[in-house]
Amino acid sequence: MSDRTHRLLTCIICQKPYDVPPGKNVTSFGSAKYDLDMKMNLNYADAELLKRIYWTDSHCPQCFITEAALDIEENARFQAQRRRQVREDRWPKLCPPLFREIDVSKLPTTYPATLERVMAWQMGPKGLILSGITGKGKTRAAWQLLKRLHFEGVHIRAFDCVDFAHECQTAFTDFKGEGWAKNVAAAELVFFDDFGKNKMTDRVEVELFGVIDRRMAHQLPIIVTTNDIGSTLEARLSPDRGAPLVRRLRECCESIAFV
């Protein structure tokens, strides 16, 4: 509450008296720190000035600034460590064991340079297509990039050549297909491994086309590995969807060939 008279209080940190001016609200240290924390998290441009307006019943203004800043920094470190641990725990569930490491000696001599190009990709509207025949390291390279993005905090939906069809069929069998497709289409990043490798039912192909079309329209990236080139991928799909799908992939993804 506010008071029209001066109040003389003693700081519990520095043990010095401090004067609360008339009309200033006196709050507890915890309430004042919480309010300051919220303002700083909202990136107030005048956060430094806002630090000076708090009058607490236990800390003088200078000690409040010092103690609150230390608490906020400590909490930020704790939250960062917690987020890191959550990502550490999730990574083995996201990435198959086979693709967590790379043995460069078993791959083409051009692989390190190609991997460097893959790892240079940054989150943005333009995705990636990694193409080439089996055994050139496309999937391993993709997972190395996904590992970096995962630990940067990017939310990834990953599908191999079977997963997308299986999840799609299960979702529509359970009458949850529309919500499932919208969630995939809206994910921060979607990864398709061995894209187009398996023959798809009409339902799966329709939903795949819809997911990619919506992601392209909203400038959300996808990462794709495939053994196909445009013409062979188009031939695997129905005539009315093959060409448009290939065109969208070419327009919205950078292509890196593994040779």
Side-chain angles (χ1 to χ4, degrees):
M1 66 181 194
S2 62
D3 197 322
R4 295 179 181 275
T5 62
H6 283 267
R7 278 160 293 173
L8 192 63
L9 303 175
T10 301
C11 177
I12 65 171
I13 301 299
C14 66
Q15 298 298 310
K16 295 178 181 179
Y18 60 99
D19 183 46
V20 180
K24 294 296 184 181
N25 290 319
V26 177
T27 62
S28 69
F29 174 82
S31 296
K33 185 178 77 68
Y34 178 81
D35 186 54
L36 176 61
D37 196 6
M38 292 301 99
K39 287 182 170 65
M40 293 182 71
N41 283 334
L42 290 172
N43 295 318
Y44 272 58
D46 55 348
E48 290 301 316
L49 292 176
L50 287 167
K51 289 180 182 179
R52 304 180 187 277
I53 68 174
Y54 294 99
W55 298 90
T56 79
D57 57 10
S58 58
H59 293 62
C60 68
Q62 187 57 53
C63 287
F64 168 75
I65 293 171
T66 302
E67 294 295 310
L70 289 173
D71 282 2
I72 290 169
E73 290 170 5
E74 178 61 30
N75 184 58
R77 285 193 293 270
F78 172 77
Q79 294 299 333
Q81 290 171 355
R82 184 179 179 184
R83 288 191 295 271
R84 176 75 186 187
Q85 188 58 55
V86 168
R87 290 170 191 148
E88 290 277 5
D89 294 341
R90 287 179 178 172
W91 179 243
K93 300 175 184 177
L94 180 65
C95 179
L98 181 63
F99 303 120
R100 292 175 196 163
E101 304 294 337
I102 295 177
D103 185 348
V104 177
S105 67
K106 297 180 180 179
L107 294 166
T109 56
T110 56
Y111 188 81
T114 308
L115 176 62
E116 185 176 353
R117 287 184 61 195
V118 174
M119 295 300 292
W121 184 83
Q122 299 294 325
M123 278 292 294
K126 200 171 185 66
L128 271 181
I129 298 177
L130 311 183
S131 62
I133 62 174
T134 299
K136 299 299 182 180
K138 303 182 299 297
T139 299
R140 285 177 170 80
W143 277 112
Q144 288 301 301
L145 172 59
L146 293 174
K147 181 178 182 179
R148 192 201 83 205
L149 296 170
H150 171 78
F151 283 99
E152 289 174 357
V154 177
H155 180 256
I156 301 165
R157 289 293 301 268
F159 301 98
D160 62 23
C161 58
V162 175
D163 285 341
F164 185 87
H166 177 73
E167 286 193 27
C168 179
Q169 291 168 345
T170 300
F172 278 92
T173 300
D174 295 340
F175 303 101
K176 299 177 181 178
E178 184 176 348
W180 172 84
K182 286 182 178 179
N183 287 337
V184 175
E188 193 171 5
L189 176 65
V190 175
F191 170 51
F192 294 104
D193 189 30
D194 279 334
F195 187 83
K197 188 172 185 177
N198 288 3
K199 181 69 176 176
M200 290 176 278
T201 65
D202 189 64
R203 162 60 74 185
V204 171
E205 188 178 300
V206 166
E207 296 307 322
L208 177 63
F209 182 87
V211 163
I212 292 176
D213 191 51
R214 286 194 291 272
R215 293 189 66 80
M216 299 299 102
H218 290 88
Q219 296 188 311
L220 294 170
I222 63 172
I223 295 177
V224 171
T225 69
T226 181
N227 294 343
D228 286 293
I229 58 175
S231 58
T232 58
L233 178 59
E234 185 177 331
R236 292 178 183 273
L237 304 170
S238 58
D240 58 334
R241 286 186 287 268
L245 182 61
V246 170
R247 185 171 63 251
R248 282 163 172 75
L249 291 174
R250 283 174 171 165
E251 289 174 354
C252 299
C253 294
E254 175 190 356
S255 182
I256 298 178
F258 282 68
V259 295

